Amino acid sequence: MKTWREVRSFPFAVRLLLVNQLGVNTGFYLLVPYLAVHLGENLGMSAAVVGVVLGVRNLSQQGLFLIGGSASDRLGARGVIIAGCALRTVGFALFALGDGLAVLLAASVLSGVAGALFNPAVRAYLAQEAGERKAEAFALFNVFATTGALIGPLLGSALLLVDFRTSALTAAGIFAVLTVAQAAVLPVRKVEPTGGSVLADWREVVGNRAFLAFALAMVGMFTLENQLYLLLPAAARAATGWDGAAGLVFLVGTLANLALQLRITRALKSRGDRGRWIAAGLAVTGLAFLPPALLPGIGPVLAGALLLYLGLMIASPFVMELIPRFGRPELTGTYFGIFYAVSGIAAALGNTAVGWAMDAGERGGHAWLPWTCCALFGLVSAVGVAWLHRLGALPAAVAPERAKTAV
């Protein structure tokens, strides 16, 4: 009940964006986790072609976050959010209606570009609307996002009992409803000029060495968060011999988020600097991979998942709160765009390392190897953020104008 009271205490625009994120994650996870199976088994594509189709989507999204962020600053976050959801509607509908490679590649590009548009724009809009309550707003954002990430696969697995096309059209329908809702009721906000060209904006953000160092230090958080879809589900399935065990990982996270996220953020917000808590949260995410490394069975895997979610609950809202503080309010979208581009690319490399460790551990009989690799990622990132905090390179949460301390 406290969570719902907190939701109602925010402006209407914030509440709509929270519901929007629930819908975005529901629609995304309803379709994307099952896309590879559809391409390979239903359409008979080779593993290489499946990899190309999925890789095009990731590349389109990761490579264009900067464009989405800049568009948000210059055109207004509202319009970019609406455009992104509309593009994803078309992209997901193409997955349902087209079987040819050209159509599937177009669907992948459109759905990837859509994410590149609305991801930084939603966060920029939320940061601007939440004012000094950014931490609480992003804590609720995590709750709604995590809930959607649980509902989506459950709904998708049920719809797949009919066929993939039904699942894809349902996902497209969700994004269509979100597009219409945002166009109808999301408030229009005045766009303040940035005072320079797009290239000048990019140079300003990239020239902020403290911000770039922070984005690189956060590679551990994004790499380990991705293990909720790679290492942990694989371990849950291996421990039980049941494919549905992967859903237990998300169930644990969703219940923990609903019960604890807002309480954790409120408790920590007034107790020490943000950098200290971000570093602590990253350390917890690293330690989360030790129980499955040391003990067999589904229990340690779920304990690790719970610790990982706990670390993310500690760190993530404060990370999102700090990003706009590094620069001028007029460049909030650009800062989010570059942050996600840098962190996304670095996390992709981190995931490659984890995948290599999984293969090497399986070949050599060293089951602990990928878990140790993940633990190191988390602890190294924690040390990096703690170092930036010690140098005074992180902006104060109560001072939006401060941001340009050099490392």
Side-chain angles (χ1 to χ4, degrees):
M1 294 299 295
K2 289 183 178 179
T3 297
W4 296 117
R5 283 198 296 272
E6 188 75 17
V7 170
R8 290 195 297 270
S9 72
F10 277 96
F12 173 75
V14 171
R15 284 179 275 159
L16 181 59
L17 291 176
L18 296 177
V19 174
N20 174 77
Q21 193 60 29
L22 174 68
V24 164
N25 274 20
T26 298
F28 182 84
Y29 288 107
L30 186 159
L31 174 68
V32 172
Y34 307 104
L35 183 56
V37 175
H38 168 66
L39 297 175
E41 295 185 3
N42 297 344
L43 301 185
M45 294 183 171
S46 67
V49 174
V50 172
V52 169
V53 174
L54 298 180
V56 163
R57 192 204 68 79
N58 287 330
L59 182 62
S60 299
Q61 181 161 314
Q62 300 293 348
L64 295 177
F65 273 133
L66 179 55
I67 302 299
S70 291
S72 173
D73 289 333
R74 292 180 169 270
L75 304 176
R78 177 183 179 274
V80 178
I81 294 169
I82 294 170
C85 283
L87 280 179
R88 185 154 282 179
T89 301
V90 176
F92 280 6
L94 284 178
F95 278 126
L97 302 176
D99 294 340
L101 181 58
V103 175
L104 293 171
L105 288 174
S108 290
V109 170
L110 287 174
S111 59
V113 171
L117 289 176
F118 64 66
N119 276 340
V122 165
R123 287 158 178 80
Y125 199 123
L126 189 64
Q128 292 161 354
E129 290 293 313
E132 293 307 310
R133 298 176 66 198
K134 290 181 179 65
E136 292 91 337
F138 280 110
L140 290 170
F141 191 82
N142 284 351
V143 171
F144 278 77
T146 302
T147 304
L150 174 65
I151 295 173
L154 295 176
L155 181 58
S157 61
L159 290 171
L160 283 174
L161 296 176
V162 182
D163 59 21
F164 178 82
R165 178 166 295 182
T166 301
S167 180
L169 287 176
T170 301
I174 290 173
F175 278 95
V177 170
L178 293 176
T179 303
V180 172
Q182 291 155 357
V185 298
L186 191 63
V188 178
R189 295 292 183 253
K190 181 181 178 181
V191 180
E192 298 292 339
T194 65
S197 66
V198 172
L199 289 178
D201 294 345
W202 293 355
R203 283 195 297 267
E204 179 177 335
V205 177
V206 172
N208 190 328
R209 291 184 292 167
F211 168 71
L212 285 184
F214 180 68
L216 288 172
M218 294 310 301
V219 62
M221 186 176 86
F222 289 96
T223 298
L224 300 188
E225 186 175 18
N226 283 339
Q227 302 318 306
L228 292 169
Y229 313 103
L230 178 62
L231 183 57
L232 286 164
R237 288 191 292 266
T240 61
W242 174 45
D243 286 343
L248 296 176
V249 172
F250 299 106
L251 180 61
V252 165
T254 301
L255 294 177
N257 246 274
L258 288 170
L260 300 174
Q261 175 67 88
L262 196 57
R263 295 179 182 180
I264 289 173
T265 301
R266 280 176 165 175
L268 300 182
K269 183 179 178 181
S270 58
R271 300 179 183 179
D273 294 333
R274 304 296 192 261
R276 183 179 304 165
W277 292 121
I278 293 171
L282 289 170
V284 172
T285 64
L287 295 174
F289 292 85
L290 294 182
L294 298 173
L295 298 169
I298 187 63
V301 173
L302 295 181
L306 180 59
L307 282 174
L308 177 55
Y309 274 107
L310 180 61
L312 293 172
M313 284 188 277
I314 293 171
S316 183
F318 297 134
V319 171
M320 296 296 104
E321 180 190 30
L322 281 191
I323 291 170
R325 311 288 195 188
F326 278 97
R328 295 184 288 128
E330 296 83 3
L331 295 181
T332 295
T334 303
Y335 270 92
F336 273 112
I338 291 182
F339 177 82
Y340 275 100
V342 171
S343 299
I345 293 170
L349 296 175
N351 282 335
T352 301
V354 174
W356 172 86
M358 290 174 69
D359 291 338
E362 185 175 352
R363 287 194 305 267
H366 304 303
W368 50 267
L369 185 59
W371 305 102
T372 303
C373 180
C374 288
L376 289 174
F377 269 121
L379 295 176
V380 169
S381 284
V383 170
V385 172
W387 177 65
L388 291 173
H389 172 65
R390 183 178 179 83
L391 290 178
L394 302 180
V398 295
E401 300 301 326
R402 183 196 167 192
K404 301 180 183 176
T405 308
V407 177

